[in-house]
Amino acid sequence: MKSDIQDIPFNKQLFGEDFIWGVSTAAVQIEGAHDADGKGASIWDVFTAKKGKILNGHHHRTATDFYNRYQTDIDLIKQLNIPNFRFSISWSRILPGGTGVINQAGIDYYNRIINYCLELGIQPWLTLYHWDLPHELELQGGWTNRAVVNWFIEYVTICANAFGDRVKHWMVMNEPSVFTGAGYFLGIHAPGKKGMKNFLPAIHHAALCMAAGAKILRKILPEAEIGTTFSCSYIEPYSDKPKDVAAATRVDALLNRLFIEPILGLGYPTELTVLKGMDKYILPGDVDNLKFDFDFIGIQNYTREIVQHSFFTPYIHATLVKAEKRKVSITTMGWEVYPASIYHILKKYNQYPQIKKIYLTESGAAFKDEVTDNKVDDPKRVEYLRQYLQQVLRAKNEGFKVDGYFIWTLTDNFEWAEGYHPRFGIIYVDFETQQRIVKSSGQWYAELLR
């Protein structure tokens, strides 16, 4: 049976005049110039230098060389009719030691980007923390050290004062559940720490920082639009057995509710008994200090996850049933192509009355791209974007809050532990020559936004 969603004609106007269209990036993944002009080391500089941490021994030291080629790439954003550009600030470019002495060259660099965007009529959207903690702060415990709240306040204050006269849209953090989970529990991302003793304090301190950073922005920039972003996957149980349903509920609490609920004043999800160990890190006044009335929430959705009960998985007693095993369409990352996931996530987050506005701040897919006659045809990515956007439109037509959509990502880039293998960009990058080729998905997006 044909899905009714396929019958919806498709153009930009259907989303309304006020709908925000954009593209997203992150400093570590594109900038390169890892030690240029006074930049200090970040946890990713140290982590990628360790043997066996990144696929194929790749590192981000050059990445897409956005540091030197930002004008070329922003020209391409303009060429593709994209009106909003989300990028992140590298903390250790601004404060090489994490705190203390400010690196003026770093501030000058981001001023050049902001000014060039505005010159071309592109709105800059700044993410303050996209996973690249200064290494000097990691030596003092990083996110496991409660002092990170004061370190973060200092950093945010500097950025607000330096850029706030021109930047109207701010995101405090990118996907805290990912950088705490992958970096401080599983150890597969920087800084490579493992275990509950690292994970629990990192969760709480990141949540405190999210609110503290937002309060600083509100105080210094009362007119700015302030948000923060969350990684979300639509979760379904493998079967209707009570054990699978309960396992799916726990995974949903961990992946989708762990950070949003304390921010909204609801506290940490009680379904996660494993969080009881966090009590020792929660000091008097913390519960109130976790709350902040954000102007918007950024949701980042790529796929759904099917969850099964697992007796042998410690703490959460649940396991993901891999997409490859389910014989479904998958991306290079092994993620299921499931367009309805974005609809279900929007529906889920719309159930929180405290949320004022929702932007989809990341959505996209990695597929194997090949250059033929200096062209890159990527029909799978075009279809992915079209189908996901149809589900966004479905949510909008049903009256759910959804106010914008940012594609992940502008150019192929350094994809964290996966190195340069997965290509997410709507612009192809030859990492040997740094040549850029707009893919057919980029042309499709430009046509949509014309």
Side-chain angles (χ1 to χ4, degrees):
M1 184 178 149
K2 194 177 173 188
S3 162
D4 58 337
I5 204 72
Q6 300 296 336
D7 300 332
I8 296 176
F10 202 61
N11 62 64
K12 183 177 84 165
Q13 281 65 41
L14 293 168
F15 292 83
E17 284 300 309
D18 298 330
F19 196 80
I20 299 290
W21 297 94
V23 67
S24 289
T25 61
V28 175
Q29 296 182 268
I30 60 172
E31 283 182 2
H34 71 291
D35 60 356
D37 301 328
K39 180 185 174 292
S42 81
I43 53 176
W44 279 92
D45 292 306
V46 175
F47 189 72
T48 56
K50 291 178 180 170
K51 200 174 174 188
K53 296 296 182 187
I54 311 296
L55 187 69
N56 301 325
H58 289 163
H59 57 72
H60 69 301
R61 291 193 281 277
T62 309
T64 69
D65 194 30
F66 182 79
Y67 189 80
N68 298 304
R69 297 168 192 260
Y70 70 89
Q71 286 184 310
T72 303
D73 287 348
I74 295 168
D75 285 342
L76 285 167
I77 293 172
K78 179 69 176 174
Q79 188 186 311
L80 297 179
N81 308 317
I82 300 169
N84 298 283
F85 176 38
R86 176 182 172 222
F87 60 95
S88 74
I89 304 276
S90 167
W91 187 340
S92 61
R93 250 189 230 294
I94 305 292
L95 289 161
T99 62
V101 180
I102 297 172
N103 177 32
Q104 188 58 42
I107 287 180
D108 294 345
Y109 165 64
Y110 291 110
N111 275 328
R112 290 195 296 275
I113 294 175
I114 291 162
N115 293 342
Y116 195 61
C117 282
L118 293 172
E119 201 181 302
L120 297 186
I122 295 163
Q123 278 300 314
W125 293 57
L126 279 193
T127 309
L128 286 164
Y129 186 74
H130 202 128
W131 305 3
D132 49 352
L133 190 75
H135 175 60
E136 288 299 319
L137 300 184
E138 183 53 41
L139 292 176
Q140 298 172 61
W143 290 101
T144 67
N145 184 344
R146 194 181 170 95
V148 74
V149 180
N150 291 327
W151 303 334
F152 192 64
I153 286 170
E154 179 185 344
Y155 164 61
V156 174
T157 303
I158 293 163
C159 291
N161 286 321
F163 313 124
D165 58 330
R166 286 149 296 141
V167 176
K168 306 303 175 200
H169 309 279
W170 295 76
M171 299 178 204
V172 180
M173 254 179 205
N174 184 74
E175 301 184 338
S177 63
V178 179
F179 78 74
T180 56
Y184 286 84
F185 179 65
L186 298 172
I188 54 173
H189 279 188
K193 287 184 171 172
K194 292 181 182 180
M196 279 294 164
K197 70 183 187 298
N198 292 308
F199 186 43
L200 293 177
I203 291 169
H204 186 53
H205 301 151
L208 284 169
C209 281
M210 207 162 21
K215 284 166 190 167
I216 292 292
L217 290 173
R218 179 76 83 229
K219 185 179 170 188
I220 299 173
L221 307 170
E223 300 303 309
E225 189 181 38
I226 301 163
T228 196
T229 82
F230 301 97
S231 152
C232 315
S233 293
Y234 176 51
I235 307 296
E236 288 193 281
Y238 181 68
S239 76
D240 55 8
K241 289 178 186 166
K243 278 188 170 182
D244 284 349
V245 173
T249 301
R250 291 191 296 276
V251 170
D252 178 64
L254 186 66
L255 296 187
N256 296 327
R257 296 170 45 211
L258 180 56
F259 284 91
I260 183 76
E261 293 191 351
I263 287 293
L264 298 177
L266 304 171
Y268 293 109
T270 51
E271 292 87 342
L272 292 172
T273 51
V274 66
L275 295 185
K276 284 196 171 72
M278 204 147 70
D279 291 350
K280 63 181 165 194
Y281 304 108
I282 300 174
L283 303 186
D286 278 4
V287 175
D288 281 336
N289 287 333
L290 289 171
K291 284 188 277 190
F292 184 77
D293 187 20
F294 279 102
D295 298 316
F296 72 91
I297 296 302
I299 288 179
Q300 314 200 150
N301 173 262
Y302 293 87
T303 189
R304 72 165 169 176
E305 299 289 1
I306 303 295
V307 174
Q308 193 171 24
H309 173 78
S310 167
F311 177 77
F312 296 105
T313 309
Y315 308 117
I316 196 147
H317 299 298
T319 188
L320 304 179
V321 183
K322 287 188 175 177
E324 302 100 279
K325 289 184 178 173
R326 294 188 272 118
K327 295 184 171 58
V328 291
S329 176
I330 59 172
T331 69
T332 308
M333 296 291 287
W335 300 343
E336 180 183 6
V337 176
Y338 187 73
S341 65
I342 210 162
Y343 166 83
H344 290 298
I345 282 293
L346 283 167
K347 188 175 180 180
K348 180 182 183 66
Y349 276 68
N350 266 268
Q351 287 163 358
Y352 295 112
Q354 304 94 327
I355 295 176
K356 295 176 183 168
K357 239 187 210 182
I358 295 174
Y359 296 120
L360 291 156
T361 40
E362 283 184 26
S363 168
F367 292 107
K368 194 174 181 215
D369 297 321
E370 286 173 3
V371 181
T372 309
D373 300 329
N374 215 33
K375 290 180 181 167
V376 179
D377 193 25
D378 58 338
K380 282 185 176 178
R381 186 173 291 103
V382 172
E383 200 47 34
Y384 179 101
L385 294 170
R386 190 201 314 274
Q387 289 183 350
Y388 273 66
L389 274 166
Q390 282 173 329
Q391 293 288 339
V392 174
L393 189 55
R394 175 188 171 195
K396 196 168 175 58
N397 289 342
E398 289 183 20
F400 295 135
K401 271 176 253 181
V402 53
D403 302 278
Y405 183 89
F406 289 70
I407 285 181
W408 182 269
T409 181
L410 179 66
T411 54
D412 295 333
N413 62 23
F414 175 76
E415 193 49 48
W416 310 110
E418 301 296 320
Y420 294 99
H421 169 59
R423 292 181 174 270
F424 274 92
I426 54 172
I427 297 170
Y428 182 92
V429 176
D430 180 326
F431 294 108
E432 298 298 314
T433 65
Q434 294 296 343
Q435 181 197 9
R436 271 73 164 148
I437 301 170
V438 176
K439 302 177 190 177
S440 51
S441 57
Q443 292 162 353
W444 176 85
Y445 199 41
E447 193 56 42
L448 179 70
L449 300 185
R450 195 178 300 285

